[in-house]
DNA sequence: TTAGGGTTAG
């Protein structure tokens, strides 16, 4: 009997200690002190249980140390479904769907435990927007076979999956199968209807749903904006009795998207005056974009001051928005100073400053920044090269532009897109090398669009070249048979060349093109 | 573990 008592006592102590050990490990992890947690873990192997292992692994994932997490996981004497789910969500958060997939296969083959609802929710959400999404219906089948009921988590994730696959029947089916729906699946249903363009279905869902939250409102607002129904979005926004920062940002962004920068800025002012909602990073970036679009440097200055006053830490996105705003509003030097203050400059930040110099016609400085960017180890993308070729075109650096354009393909393995060709045509055109521009268009791997033809036509206008101008006009005609700019450029060329007497010929051409004299398109400078 | 908003070109 005493022996049994001793055993029970020991057992109690050891259980207690294990609980305490795990608590301490978690406290260390919570304070970001993984080393101490690990030390404690290694010092007391007799006290550790599966929970200690799981805590430590999850701690490594939280601190972005996936390698250690995987290493510990491999060493585990025994794993439960929680261990697997920690691995899956760790890799999902690390944006590594490949590993999620392999981990899932592994679990299926060797796991001691079966997957549960959480397993599927995590896996499905990490398969969204990528090729793995095609596995989602199979996962759906698998979880039904395993008898896992569709709770709001798995169900909502699955609904997202079917939206991603444009399978709206699947979406509705899952929605009806979810037991004990809370507001989330309703929100996802609205999202799905909006994504497929069924705005009235979305509205009907909104009207009949039992409860709504901020997500509901902003999903509806964004849906209307995506479907080009800004007025409806505004109507819904105005109906909100209590507006949160997300819906404010969304509606401001809506106006920005439609080019109504003035209204966007007015709304921002209204937001500040409302006193109830404070702007955040997202709002500021959006508003700065509006300032840039409207060349409203004074408002931009005020927003800048507002950001500084608000005490938000200036992250790279916000700083890039500032760089872009100042560059577009004409103050490239301030833009550069702010750019220099960015500690870790990413590709977008570099593109902004290079684009800024390009627009200011400072081709050498654009190239200089490009070289600095390369030295800092950032790889250029297609946008970098659009900016660079544009810069060379506006700075008269024809050969440099050619070299850069070619290096994009040969050195950086990027594919030249329509925009690059348009910039190159513009570059040759400005320099008066119209034959080269024509040759380039002929050799393009795809049919030129209206921007390419427009650049060419503009150049022909600039250099008063009738024959090539007519080729350009014809090119545009095949795409848009009554572009107004064609008329104004051609009549300029004919005028320059003194072929005014041929005005009846032009009239014929005009009839043929059914062009009307309207405001000239802005792509012809 | 599920559902909303941000930066570069066009």
């Amino acid at each position: 009997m005493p022996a049994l008592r001793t055993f029970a006592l020991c057992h109690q102590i050891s259980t207690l200690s294990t609980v305490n050990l795990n608590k301490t490990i978690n406290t260390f992890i919570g304070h970001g002190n993984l080393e101490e947690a690990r030390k404690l873990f290694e010092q007391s192997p007799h006290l550790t249980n599966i929970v200690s292992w799981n805590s430590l692994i999850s701690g490594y994932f939280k601190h972005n140390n996936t390698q250690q997490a995987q290493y510990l996981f491999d060493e585990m004497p025994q794993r439960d479904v929680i261990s697997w789910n920690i691995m899956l969500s760790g890799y999902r958060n690390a944006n590594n769907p490949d590993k999620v997939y392999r981990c899932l296969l592994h679990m299926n083959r060797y796991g001691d435990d079966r997957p549960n609802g959480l397993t599927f929710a995590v896996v499905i959400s990490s398969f969204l927007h990528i090729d793995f999404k095609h596995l989602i219906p199979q996962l759906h089948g698998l979880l039904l076979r395993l008898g896992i009921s569709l709770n709001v988590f798995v169900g909502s994730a699955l609904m997202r999956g079917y939206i991603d696959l444009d399978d709206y029947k699947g979406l509705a089916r899952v929605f009806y199968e979810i037991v004990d729906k809370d507001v989330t699946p309703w929100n996802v249903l609205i999202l799905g209807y909006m994504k497929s363009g069924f705005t009235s279905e979305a509205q009907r869902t909104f009207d009949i749903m039992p409860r709504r939250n901020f997500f509901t409102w902003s999903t509806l607002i964004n849906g209307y904006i995506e479907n080009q129904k800004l007025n409806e979005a505004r109507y819904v926004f105005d109906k909100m009795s209590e507006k949160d920062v997300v819906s404010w940002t969304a509606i401001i962004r809506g106006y920005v998207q439609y080019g109504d920068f003035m209204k966007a800025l007015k709304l921002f002012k209204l937001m500040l005056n409302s006193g109830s909602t404070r702007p955040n990073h997202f709002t500021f970036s959006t508003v700065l974009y509006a300032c840039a679009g409207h060349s409203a440097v004074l408002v931009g200055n005020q927003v800048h001051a507002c950001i500084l006053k608000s005490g938000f830490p200036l992250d790279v996105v916000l700083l890039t928005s500032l760089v872009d705003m100042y560059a577009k509003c004409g103050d490239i030097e301030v833009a550069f100073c702010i750019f220099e203050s960015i500690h870790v400059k990413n590709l977008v930040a570099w593109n902004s400053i290079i684009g800024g110099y390009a627009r200011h016609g400072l081709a050498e400085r654009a190239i200089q920044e490009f070289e600095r960017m390369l030295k800092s180890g950032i790889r250029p993308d297609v946008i970098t090269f659009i900016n660079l070729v544009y810069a060379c075109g506006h700075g008269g650096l024809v050969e440099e532009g050619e070299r850069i354009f070619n290096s994009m393909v040969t050195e950086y393995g990027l594919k030249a897109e329509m925009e690059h060709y348009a910039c190159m045509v513009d570059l040759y055109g400005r320099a008066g090398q119209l034959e080269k521009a024509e040759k380039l268009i002929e050799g393009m791997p795809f049919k030129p669009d209206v921007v390419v033809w427009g650049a060419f036509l503009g150049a022909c206008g600039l250099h008063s070249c009738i024959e090539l101008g007519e080729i350009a006009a014809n090119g545009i005609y095949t795409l848009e048979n009554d572009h107004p700019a064609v008329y104004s450029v051609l009549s300029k060329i004919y005028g320059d060349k003194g072929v005014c007497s041929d005005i009846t010929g032009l009239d014929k051409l005009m009839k043929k093109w059914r062009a009307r004299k309207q405001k000239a398109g802005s792509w012809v400078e």
Side-chain angles (χ1 to χ4, degrees), chain A residues 5 9 12 29 31 78 140 152 219 225 283 309-310 435 439:
Chain A
R5 223 145 112 205
L9 198 64
Q12 205 178 3
I29 292 173
H31 287 95
Q78 154 187 33
H140 186 184
V152 284
T219 305
I225 293 173
T283 328
K309 250 195 340 217
S310 71
E435 289 79 13
K439 255 203 186 132

Side-chain angles (χ1 to χ4, degrees), chain A residues 17 21 32 81 94 104 152 197 199 260 299 303 320 327 377 394 420 481 494 497-498 504:
Chain A
S17 314
L21 173 82
V81 62
L104 182 73
V152 284
T199 52
D260 198 341
V299 185
V303 176
T320 303
H394 287 248
H420 300 102
N481 52 20
Y494 292 138
K497 288 284 175 182
T504 47

Side-chain angles (χ1 to χ4, degrees), chain A residues 249-268:
Chain A
T249 309
I251 193 74
I252 293 174
R253 171 92 192 141
Y255 284 108
V256 169
Q257 265 175 332
Y258 289 96
D260 198 341
F261 305 117
M262 198 62 174
K263 251 202 185 124
L265 293 175
K266 275 189 183 155
L267 259 172
F268 177 60

Side-chain angles (χ1 to χ4, degrees), chain A residues 321-337:
Chain A
S321 303
L322 280 167
V323 170
D324 187 59
M325 185 274 291
Y326 279 111
K328 282 187 179 145
C329 290
D331 204 334
I332 187 72
E333 291 312 325
V334 172
F336 183 68
C337 286

Side-chain angles (χ1 to χ4, degrees), chain A residues 214-450:
Chain A
F214 282 127
F215 286 92
T216 322
W217 289 91
S218 54
T219 305
L220 196 66
I221 291 172
N222 275 315
Y224 276 128
I225 293 173
E226 264 176 55
N227 283 287
Q228 275 89 42
K229 294 188 169 173
L230 191 55
N231 289 337
E232 281 85 345
R234 181 58 189 267
Y235 181 78
V236 174
F237 175 76
D238 287 340
K239 281 241 165 199
M240 289 179 83
S241 52
E242 223 181 300
K243 300 162 174 45
D244 70 339
V245 61
V246 178
S247 52
W248 273 107
T249 309
I251 193 74
I252 293 174
R253 171 92 192 141
Y255 284 108
V256 169
Q257 265 175 332
Y258 289 96
D260 198 341
F261 305 117
M262 198 62 174
K263 251 202 185 124
L265 293 175
K266 275 189 183 155
L267 259 172
F268 177 60
K269 205 173 152 203
L270 215 63
M271 174 187 185
L272 295 179
N273 289 338
S274 79
S276 52
T277 322
R278 297 188 62 77
N280 64 13
H281 287 74
F282 294 85
T283 328
F284 284 131
S285 295
T286 304
V287 170
L288 285 172
Y289 189 89
C291 296
H294 201 251
S295 299
V297 72
L298 291 179
V299 185
N301 274 324
Q302 286 171 16
V303 176
H304 191 175
C306 193
I307 294 170
L308 296 177
K309 250 195 340 217
S310 71
F312 274 124
L314 290 162
D315 65 3
V316 62
V317 175
L318 206 44
L319 285 167
T320 303
S321 303
L322 280 167
V323 170
D324 187 59
M325 185 274 291
Y326 279 111
K328 282 187 179 145
C329 290
D331 204 334
I332 187 72
E333 291 312 325
V334 172
F336 183 68
C337 286
I338 295 171
F339 172 73
E340 282 300 85
S341 78
I342 304 176
H343 291 299
V344 185
K345 304 173 173 70
N346 64 14
L347 176 63
V348 179
W350 283 104
N351 282 347
S352 300
I353 196 67
I354 295 172
Y357 280 128
R359 272 190 304 276
H360 281 78
L362 299 167
E364 277 96 356
R365 296 210 48 186
I367 293 169
Q368 204 179 314
E369 291 310 318
F370 172 58
E371 278 161 2
R372 264 182 77 201
M373 167 180 147
L374 294 178
K375 269 193 201 131
S376 78
I378 302 274
R379 277 185 72 80
D381 69 350
V382 286
I383 297 173
T384 320
F385 285 99
I386 289 173
N387 287 332
L388 286 170
V389 177
Y390 181 93
C392 292
H394 287 248
L397 303 181
V398 179
E399 282 171 16
E400 190 66 10
E402 273 180 329
R403 197 187 59 74
I404 288 174
F405 177 73
N406 291 328
S407 76
M408 167 172 77
V409 182
T410 54
E411 282 179 46
Y412 300 98
L414 296 168
K415 255 178 61 193
E417 293 172 1
M418 191 74 84
E419 286 88 349
H420 300 102
Y421 282 99
C423 287
M424 279 305 287
V425 168
D426 185 64
L427 175 138
Y428 286 134
R430 280 168 191 274
Q433 303 184 8
L434 296 177
E435 289 79 13
K436 268 197 169 175
E438 191 198 5
K439 255 203 186 132
L440 187 73
I441 294 177
E442 278 173 7
M444 275 171 56
F446 26 68
K447 279 182 89 164
D449 70 351
V450 71

